[in-house]
Amino acid sequence: YWDGVPYLSIGRDSLALDPARIPLAPLERGDVIVLPAMLRVYLVTARPRSTTPVTQIGIATGDLGIAGYRAGYSTRTRSGLGFSLLADWNSLDGNPTATTTNFSSTDLWLKAEYIPPDGRLGASFQLLSSSWHRQAAAGRVDDWRQERRDRLFRFFVAERSDGLGLRVTGTMS
């Protein structure tokens, strides 16, 4: 589940979801519930809680031309408007003598939300864009491209701002 909405397998992986393709950069936490014969995983995205802007820059490199780059920015205003943007790019140059081919993935995450200080109503919109590309290897692997776009709109109206009382929540994805 991605912020309470089932994260379904779509496209080329329509029979099963490959957990390696779920972007972890925008997540604040993950909760794992062990049930009989299955695991249920709840992924919760980050939410700016302070009016102080938060930025992040990350660069990582390694063997076989592995590289990872990340940039992010999030902020919240006193009026309750919050905005988060995160870009994550990873690549692997591969090894021509082994079975590893060039591979790259790009994840872009945008979240805008409005929850006024009284906390009795609010709305948020998320856009998660992921793309993967594995280059062809002569006679071994075909060129493969995959893209996934997830959009999630949530809203709520509450009777009280302290979390008690009636609350109506809606989600479209």
Side-chain angles (χ1 to χ4, degrees):
Y1 291 86
W2 184 276
D3 277 347
V5 176
Y7 194 78
L8 302 173
S9 54
I10 59 173
R12 183 177 174 144
D13 64 345
S14 62
L15 297 178
L17 182 64
D18 182 0
R21 299 288 158 248
I22 298 174
L24 299 179
L27 299 179
E28 182 173 273
R29 81 171 194 269
D31 299 329
V32 179
I33 309 295
V34 180
L35 299 170
M38 74 181 304
L39 288 176
R40 183 166 289 165
V41 179
Y42 292 95
L43 304 172
V44 180
T45 58
R47 180 174 168 223
R49 304 193 188 290
S50 169
T51 56
T52 304
V54 176
T55 59
Q56 60 176 300
I57 300 280
I59 299 172
T61 60
D63 292 339
L64 300 177
I66 293 175
Y69 305 95
R70 180 177 297 165
Y73 177 79
S74 64
T75 188
R76 176 171 294 287
T77 64
R78 292 181 194 269
S79 66
L81 182 63
F83 175 77
S84 300
L85 174 66
L86 187 84
D88 196 22
W89 182 75
N90 299 289
S91 70
L92 167 69
D93 286 345
N95 184 348
T97 61
T99 59
T100 308
T101 61
N102 293 359
F103 178 81
S104 65
S105 67
T106 305
D107 299 310
L108 298 171
W109 177 68
L110 169 70
K111 182 176 185 179
E113 60 185 353
Y114 178 68
I115 303 173
D118 70 359
R120 295 184 57 204
L121 61 95
S124 71
F125 177 75
Q126 288 186 56
L127 175 64
L128 177 64
S129 172
S130 298
S131 63
W132 310 283
H133 179 219
R134 179 173 299 280
Q135 292 182 352
R140 294 184 294 188
V141 178
D142 293 335
D143 193 64
W144 175 73
R145 288 184 185 272
Q146 180 74 36
E147 292 185 0
R148 179 179 176 130
R149 306 281 184 269
D150 293 292
R151 291 169 295 279
L152 174 66
F153 175 71
R154 302 182 79 177
F155 64 91
F156 74 90
V157 177
E159 183 179 33
R160 296 172 48 168
S161 62
D162 59 5
L164 300 175
L166 292 175
R167 180 180 172 109
V168 176
T169 303
T171 303
M172 293 186 303
S173 70

